[in-house]
Amino acid sequence: MLRLPIRRLSYTKLGDGSGTPVIMCHGLLGNKNNFNNIGKMMSYLTDRPVITMDMLNHGSAAWTENGGYEFMAEEVKKAIDELCGGKAVVLGHSMGGRVAMWTALTSPELVENLMIVDVTANNWVGSPLQIKGFLKHMKDATIPEGLKRSEIRKHLDEYMTEVAPEVGIRNFLMTNLKIDKNGFRWKANVEYLYQKLDSEYASMEAVEGLEYLGDTILIGGANSDYIKWDERDEDLMTEFFPFIEYDESDTFENPNFLSQTFSREHLVSKPQETFSVAEDRNVLNAEELNDAFAGIYRDHAASACLDEEVKLYADASGQAGNMLHELGRQLENAGRKAYEIKNLSSEIIEEAATWRLLQGIIQNKDSEEMENFAETAMYSERDAKANCYRAHPELRHLRAVLDWLEHSAKFEDNHFTNRITPDNTFHQVKLGKIDVDLNPDVAKKDLHVLDQQALTKFNTDIFRMIRSGDLTGAIEKCLNSGQAFKAAIMEGATMYHNPKIEDEHAEGEIEGVEMRDIWKKSALAFCESPQIPLIERGIIGAVCGFSEPLLQLAKSWEDRLWALLTAAIDVIIEQSITESMMGARETLPDSFWKQNQPVENLLQKAAAGGNSQEKKTIFRKIQEFLILDDLEGLGSHIETIDAKNKHQARFLAHLSTVLQSVGVGSVTTACIENYSRMLVSSVDPDCRPHEDALLVAHYCRLLDEESASGLYSQLLVNLSCMNQIHRQKLIDLANEAGLCISSITKQAAVSMQQTKSGETDLDALEILLANKDLSSSFNIACSLIKNMIVMKNDEAARIAVKKMEDAGANEIKKNEPFVAIRAHLEAMDMFSKWSRLFNNSTPEEIQEITSGLTFVQRVTIESRNEQKRSDMLKSARELQSLATRIDEKVVQILTTNAEWFDNDAKAVIIPLLVVASMKAQLGSNLPEKAIKTVNMLMSSKYGLFNFLNTQTARSVLDLAAEANSMILVNENKH
């Protein structure tokens, strides 16, 4: 997303709109990205631009010693003034809520409405000691020396568990983690925040006595730890905000607060009508994803932490896909058909999954191989398994793929557990209506239908937890639900490890069971028993590595591949354990061992098991290359993909940069160039032109000079209708990106000139002159002005000449073409002046003096006649003077050696100049000069007659005949 260049704070703009902008301020230890999803949805629903901000000492904002509410509020005010036109709706959560309050109280004229979330103006409520504990733990965090980058996040996550056992809180705190080649750092200034928490953030006493009279909403969660909303809270908040409304519900529902312009009523007003993303420019969020990816690449271009970059790509696309998915659901609930937006959300979600697969593979490649083991694992299955993973990078790769498949199927269990007991069946037995054996070892039980439904639901949840990689959670759920026997069966898969076998003084507990091979053989037999319900066979098949029941339960390509890979990995590990462990082991059936096949075969089986309803997207093929660990093949493949939209092009472009970073030699810049071309072709001067130009400049710098110049010059052509100030900004962006401005401006100017419309030539010249190096583009500039003259747009040509003079055209060596152009315009200007003077100089009649007039009358008439003769003579001399100057200019132009016009232009310009000059000579009674001009035109020395056509030649000859006649008349007078 576009980071706006405002001082000190970091901003992200989410969406566009015509309403008053919304500024969102995050809480302590948060950052602007906390609001990505809600901000985009808010922008869409309210037709407003939404701007999220990093507060001081947080995220990407400045670290400063002056970071309290007052200083943060001052930065918000600057943002309102510079980004929002002086008025905004301000929304703040927790610490950001107090910043929002401070802003509204000290500058109420800037705040249209105020929204406060989960905080009041009272001194600390809630758990400041817990917050201080978070900060202390973060500032004291260290990592062991030599820890790999891929392990840093896991290490710090475990470290933070001491003060933040809740996963949700810990994940929130970990959004501050930044991993780079030097280790890690926290994005938030935790040292400062820890020291100033009590003094800078606990109180708002400094604004006591102020009030904000605008509409204010305070949103507090029903179970909030930070708002009591008792009499003390209500009195203080009402004193500050007389028109405050408090909402304490699970969801905030006040649709009129932001004056929605695209509401549910709007949606419902078109029932059964197909929704098109073109209905609203914010729906696609293409610009936001484009900006987000460009920003991520810029931030990590010089970093060695590639997996972090890929993770951010996955997060950004995942958030956008989920938001669009939710929007599609709401549209359908409103009675609209949302095929387009549903397809788009599915595509972006699948893109996110592909990024996550790539992230796992990169992290795996970042781990080190263990070439020499200190000792063999003869007595420990656990160690034998670990050694197998260390020794075989291909196995670690398959494990990374399996982790991805499990993450993609993540199942959120509600953790609400009832004991699974057949109470309804017990009741039927007690009544004597049925006779059933409820022993757990009985394969099939005739349970009451309600008990059977509950058991099936429970088993399904257990299977889904295992499918998503949460075996530990599945075992715990079984134990909590009275299904200890099922938990015991699953725990049988635990690898055996007894640290005391080789050293009786060793510490540690025994893990697993010594005869796990017997369990394995029994579990495989269980999975092949047809009388056992499929879901139960699937549960055991997942933990013992048998794919047959898993394939029967599979509903997608991902499910089938997970089943096959689970089994294949299990076979490889089991084979390694068998070879390294001491002692005899149970023989496992051939049906188990045959599951280990090449990955290519597994992919074919996974694909073959599908149906015609499964969509084959560009991402599936890319995922297959990644699963095969064929990055060179992937590099070649992505350059053959024809991207159908800007989303696909963006994905392929950034994928190519990642592949280049890991050393894939088969990938070129073709995908980046294609994406840049799409951006250029879709640029709109009325919608985000500068943001799009920034993106194009960013990607063009990754291309060779010729391609980059060609693309960016086309961008300038497409945005040529913008005024000169905006065009200069576009060129400045290219210059900042290190692009070749000279080449870009020349290509843009030539391209615009080739339209031959004459309407864009002045714009093209302004783009050309932005190069600041007139000498290198002098001839092109002269050609542009020539085009204006040919298209009879002399006014634009005069403006262009003035701009050329200001740019230093007079100082250019060999500037004869420019001199000739200026002479032509001066000649035409003089002819226009001559024509006006000639038309206004009609000879006045000389009054005759008759014999009947008195002396006084005769003197008056004579005086008047003398004045008329004087005026006529003066006019004639002025006409002759102008005509002579015109003749001189025309001769200068026609006799110059400079190639200032091409032949097509000469066919227009030369007759125009000659006819104008001859008309002026004849009208000024200078027929000899007119004949001289004709002679020069017809002279073989200059070859100018070649540029006359039938019509222009007739005009010249007619004027020549008139000139000869005038000469004869003048001779006869003398």
Side-chain angles (χ1 to χ4, degrees):
M1 299 176 187
L2 178 66
R3 182 168 298 162
L4 304 171
I6 304 300
R7 189 176 37 178
R8 303 183 81 179
L9 289 183
S10 170
Y11 297 74
T12 295
K13 185 179 179 184
L14 305 172
D16 295 304
S18 58
T20 305
V22 179
I23 284 193
M24 307 181 80
C25 309
H26 63 77
L28 190 70
L29 289 175
N31 60 70
K32 66 181 184 293
N33 295 327
N34 297 155
F35 294 120
N36 277 353
N37 283 341
I38 190 173
K40 291 175 183 177
M41 186 64 76
M42 182 179 289
S43 173
Y44 169 72
L45 290 174
T46 65
D47 191 35
R48 296 167 179 263
V50 173
I51 297 165
T52 64
M53 303 172 57
D54 279 332
M55 299 291 99
L56 289 171
N57 293 304
H58 290 77
S60 301
W63 285 18
T64 172
E65 289 298 314
N66 298 318
Y69 296 133
E70 176 184 0
F71 299 99
M72 288 189 279
E74 285 303 314
E75 296 302 311
V76 173
K77 294 173 192 177
K78 292 172 192 167
I80 294 174
D81 182 57
E82 297 184 33
L83 288 176
C84 308
K87 183 77 77 173
V89 174
V90 182
L91 181 153
H93 168 250
S94 190
M95 177 195 76
R98 290 189 167 186
V99 174
M101 286 188 257
W102 201 295
T103 304
L105 290 169
T106 56
S107 297
E109 72 281 359
L110 299 179
V111 182
E112 182 176 276
N113 297 121
L114 179 64
M115 301 180 72
I116 309 162
V117 183
D118 211 30
V119 71
T120 68
N122 267 320
N123 288 354
W124 278 118
V125 179
S127 49
L129 291 178
Q130 183 188 33
I131 296 172
K132 202 152 190 176
F134 296 156
L135 291 169
K136 185 176 188 308
H137 228 60
M138 292 170 74
K139 78 181 186 67
D140 293 341
T142 60
I143 56 174
E145 187 176 351
L147 193 67
K148 295 189 289 290
R149 289 196 307 272
S150 59
E151 298 173 347
I152 292 176
R153 181 179 295 276
K154 180 180 179 182
H155 170 80
L156 291 174
D157 184 71
E158 293 174 353
Y159 166 76
M160 291 301 297
T161 304
E162 298 174 21
V163 291
E166 299 91 343
V167 175
I169 294 177
R170 199 163 63 252
N171 286 342
F172 170 73
L173 296 175
M174 294 296 284
T175 61
N176 284 282
L177 180 62
K178 174 74 173 179
I179 301 173
D180 55 32
K181 59 184 177 182
N182 298 319
F184 82 99
R185 63 178 177 84
W186 300 111
K187 297 176 184 177
N189 188 353
V190 293
E191 184 74 39
Y192 172 86
L193 296 174
Y194 176 75
Q195 293 176 1
K196 302 289 187 179
L197 184 65
D198 296 327
S199 60
E200 298 285 346
Y201 298 96
S203 170
M204 290 191 61
E205 293 177 357
V207 289
E208 287 183 1
L210 301 177
E211 65 177 2
Y212 171 70
L213 300 178
D215 289 339
T216 304
I217 186 78
L218 171 60
I219 306 170
N223 300 314
S224 173
D225 292 331
Y226 299 95
I227 294 183
K228 292 182 179 179
W229 201 245
D230 52 15
E231 184 176 348
R232 180 169 171 265
D233 266 350
E234 186 171 0
D235 288 346
L236 179 61
M237 292 299 286
T238 304
E239 181 182 339
F240 279 137
F241 310 104
F243 299 100
I244 192 169
E245 174 187 343
Y246 178 57
D247 187 284
E248 190 187 56
S249 57
D250 292 333
T251 57
F252 173 58
E253 296 181 358
N254 189 345
N256 296 319
F257 189 76
L258 287 173
S259 305
Q260 293 185 11
T261 59
F262 197 88
S263 61
R264 174 170 288 273
E265 287 74 22
H266 172 84
L267 300 176
V268 177
S269 67
K270 301 179 180 180
Q272 304 305 314
E273 188 174 319
T274 300
F275 179 85
S276 169
V277 295
E279 283 191 36
D280 191 273
R281 63 180 177 275
N282 292 319
V283 176
L284 264 173
N285 284 293
E287 291 80 11
E288 285 75 6
L289 264 185
N290 293 338
D291 293 340
F293 271 56
I296 292 167
Y297 181 80
R298 276 195 302 270
D299 292 345
H300 291 79
S303 170
C305 192
L306 190 60
D307 61 321
E308 178 71 12
E309 178 183 346
V310 175
K311 177 185 180 298
L312 292 173
Y313 290 150
D315 291 344
S317 49
Q319 289 173 358
N322 290 334
M323 188 276 291
L324 291 171
H325 176 77
E326 174 62 18
L327 184 58
R329 187 188 66 81
Q330 292 186 16
L331 286 165
E332 288 191 333
N333 289 343
R336 300 293 299 278
K337 298 175 182 177
Y339 309 121
E340 188 176 358
I341 199 168
K342 287 180 68 177
N343 290 337
L344 181 61
S345 67
S346 297
E347 181 174 295
I348 296 178
I349 288 171
E350 192 170 4
E351 177 194 339
T354 307
W355 284 122
R356 297 203 186 283
L357 173 59
L358 181 57
Q359 180 194 1
I361 291 172
I362 290 173
Q363 287 178 335
N364 172 64
K365 289 183 180 298
D366 190 43
S367 61
E368 298 175 356
E369 294 185 28
M370 181 177 176
E371 298 178 356
N372 299 304
F373 309 123
E375 56 186 63
T376 57
M378 295 185 295
Y379 305 104
S380 172
E381 292 182 331
R382 186 196 70 178
D383 292 348
K385 176 181 177 181
N387 286 346
C388 183
Y389 271 113
R390 291 190 186 107
H392 298 93
E394 67 278 5
L395 182 60
R396 294 199 302 275
H397 174 78
L398 292 180
R399 182 67 246 184
V401 175
L402 194 63
D403 289 342
W404 166 70
L405 289 167
E406 291 176 345
H407 180 276
S408 300
K410 193 170 183 180
F411 173 63
E412 297 290 346
D413 184 53
N414 59 19
H415 301 290
F416 179 76
T417 55
N418 285 324
R419 293 186 65 81
I420 305 299
T421 54
D423 293 338
N424 295 288
T425 305
F426 285 153
H427 183 66
Q428 293 292 312
V429 171
K430 188 175 182 180
L431 295 177
K433 294 186 176 181
I434 61 172
D435 182 15
V436 61
D437 186 353
L438 296 177
N439 190 306
D441 292 331
V442 176
K444 187 174 182 180
K445 308 176 184 68
D446 294 324
L447 299 178
H448 187 278
V449 62
L450 296 178
D451 294 337
Q452 187 62 56
Q453 289 174 355
L455 183 61
T456 301
K457 170 65 168 61
F458 174 79
N459 284 332
T460 301
D461 287 352
I462 293 296
F463 179 77
R464 291 179 67 186
M465 293 176 76
I466 297 173
R467 168 68 180 87
S468 63
D470 189 13
L471 177 60
T472 301
I475 293 173
E476 183 179 352
K477 186 177 180 73
C478 288
L479 291 172
N480 294 336
S481 305
Q483 298 287 302
F485 70 94
K486 191 166 291 182
I489 294 175
M490 290 190 287
E491 282 191 326
T494 305
M495 296 293 171
Y496 177 66
H497 175 72
N498 185 353
K500 299 184 183 297
I501 290 180
E502 297 183 79
D503 181 2
E504 61 180 9
H505 301 293
E507 296 181 356
E509 298 180 355
I510 297 175
E511 300 174 20
V513 293
E514 188 172 2
M515 294 179 290
R516 189 189 61 84
D517 54 328
I518 296 177
W519 169 88
K520 183 87 168 185
K521 187 172 184 178
S522 301
L524 292 170
F526 181 93
C527 292
E528 293 186 295
S529 180
Q531 66 268 29
I532 297 175
L534 177 60
I535 188 66
E536 295 193 22
R537 287 190 283 133
I539 292 170
I540 304 306
V543 295
C544 76
F546 193 61
S547 62
E548 181 183 340
L550 304 181
L551 290 171
Q552 294 181 53
L553 290 167
K555 297 179 180 179
S556 66
W557 174 80
E558 290 81 1
D559 287 344
R560 295 189 296 274
L561 185 59
W562 171 77
L564 295 165
L565 276 180
T566 296
I569 291 174
D570 197 278
V571 171
I572 295 171
I573 293 172
E574 200 67 45
Q575 181 68 41
S576 178
I577 292 173
T578 301
E579 293 173 355
S580 61
M581 294 290 292
M582 295 287 288
R585 298 177 66 83
E586 286 291 326
T587 302
L588 300 180
D590 289 342
S591 57
F592 171 75
W593 297 111
K594 288 179 180 179
Q595 295 178 116
N596 182 21
Q597 299 180 26
V599 181
E600 293 88 343
N601 293 0
L602 301 181
L603 285 171
Q604 289 175 3
K605 286 186 176 182
N611 55 57
S612 58
Q613 300 300 316
E614 288 187 347
K615 294 176 64 176
K616 303 295 190 299
T617 66
I618 67 166
F619 302 102
R620 171 67 59 78
K621 187 64 178 176
I622 291 172
Q623 290 166 5
E624 289 179 352
F625 274 106
L626 290 172
I627 292 167
L628 290 169
D629 201 18
D630 183 9
L631 298 187
E632 289 291 341
L634 176 59
S636 300
H637 171 70
I638 62 174
E639 299 193 355
T640 67
I641 297 175
D642 181 19
K644 303 299 182 185
N645 54 50
K646 203 154 53 174
H647 284 291
Q648 291 184 6
R650 168 188 46 74
F651 166 73
L652 294 171
H654 282 269
L655 179 59
S656 71
T657 65
V658 172
L659 293 176
Q660 286 176 336
S661 298
V662 296
V664 175
S666 60
V667 66
T668 67
T669 58
C671 292
I672 299 173
E673 185 172 351
N674 182 55
Y675 177 40
S676 302
R677 200 174 302 284
M678 275 197 175
L679 290 172
V680 169
S681 64
S682 63
V683 71
D684 184 349
D686 298 322
C687 182
R688 297 170 32 88
H690 294 108
E691 289 87 342
D692 285 343
L694 181 63
L695 288 172
V696 174
H698 167 73
Y699 293 106
C700 280
R701 68 186 183 84
L702 304 176
L703 305 175
D704 62 85
E705 182 179 316
E706 181 180 356
S707 300
S709 299
L711 282 169
Y712 205 86
S713 66
Q714 188 57 48
L715 175 86
L716 293 181
V717 172
N718 293 351
L719 295 176
S720 60
C721 62
M722 302 180 72
N723 64 39
Q724 186 176 359
I725 296 175
H726 287 291
R727 281 198 293 266
Q728 186 59 53
K729 288 182 179 179
L730 300 179
I731 292 170
D732 289 343
L733 288 175
N735 192 37
E736 291 168 7
L739 305 183
C740 181
I741 303 302
S742 175
S743 177
I744 289 171
T745 52
K746 286 180 184 178
Q747 289 189 52
V750 170
S751 178
M752 294 171 69
Q753 182 187 14
Q754 287 172 349
T755 61
K756 295 189 180 299
S757 66
E759 297 176 1
T760 60
D761 288 324
L762 189 56
D763 294 331
L765 181 73
E766 289 177 347
I767 290 174
L768 195 64
L769 295 180
N771 179 23
K772 307 298 184 185
D773 181 15
L774 183 59
S775 60
S776 66
S777 52
F778 182 77
N779 291 333
I780 299 175
C782 291
S783 181
L784 287 170
I785 304 176
K786 172 266 301 181
N787 206 42
M788 301 176 202
I789 294 172
V790 170
M791 300 306 298
K792 299 182 179 179
N793 192 356
D794 283 6
E795 186 59 35
R798 292 184 189 95
I799 296 173
V801 166
K802 181 62 172 63
K803 289 180 180 293
M804 288 273 284
E805 290 176 336
D806 293 342
N810 292 328
E811 284 72 44
I812 298 290
K813 294 181 179 180
K814 297 183 179 180
N815 66 349
E816 290 84 359
F818 176 71
V819 173
I821 289 172
R822 186 168 56 193
H824 165 80
L825 291 173
E826 290 172 350
M828 297 311 296
D829 285 344
M830 285 188 285
F831 179 71
S832 297
K833 183 178 180 180
W834 181 90
S835 297
R836 289 193 300 272
L837 182 62
F838 179 79
N839 293 331
N840 293 329
S841 61
T842 305
E844 296 189 49
E845 184 179 352
I846 301 298
Q847 187 176 352
E848 183 180 355
I849 299 176
T850 60
S851 59
L853 297 175
T854 66
F855 175 77
V856 173
Q857 289 174 328
R858 285 199 301 271
V859 170
T860 301
I861 292 172
E862 184 61 38
S863 175
R864 190 181 300 131
N865 287 343
E866 188 63 29
Q867 183 63 45
K868 289 179 180 178
R869 292 188 188 95
S870 176
D871 290 344
M872 291 167 60
L873 181 61
K874 180 180 178 181
S875 176
R877 288 174 177 171
E878 191 171 353
L879 285 171
Q880 287 186 349
S881 175
L882 279 172
T884 300
R885 288 162 61 194
I886 292 171
D887 178 61
E888 291 172 353
K889 290 290 181 185
V890 171
V891 170
Q892 175 189 352
I893 296 167
L894 297 182
T895 58
T896 183
N897 292 323
E899 287 297 327
W900 63 288
F901 284 145
D902 58 31
N903 290 342
D904 290 342
K906 287 180 179 179
V908 175
I909 300 302
I910 289 175
L912 185 66
L913 284 170
V914 170
V915 168
S917 178
M918 292 182 70
K919 284 183 177 180
Q921 312 312 323
L922 295 177
S924 303
N925 198 23
L926 298 171
E928 293 83 0
K929 288 184 178 294
I931 293 299
K932 183 179 178 182
T933 300
V934 172
N935 291 337
M936 182 177 61
L937 178 66
M938 298 301 178
S939 170
S940 59
K941 178 179 180 180
Y942 302 109
L944 300 177
F945 56 85
N946 294 319
F947 302 105
L948 298 177
N949 57 32
T950 304
Q951 183 177 352
T952 54
R954 182 178 296 111
S955 298
V956 170
L957 292 175
D958 288 345
L959 290 170
E962 185 179 347
N964 284 321
S965 297
M966 288 182 65
I967 291 173
L968 290 174
V969 169
N970 290 338
E971 288 178 351
N972 290 334
K973 285 182 180 180
H974 297 292

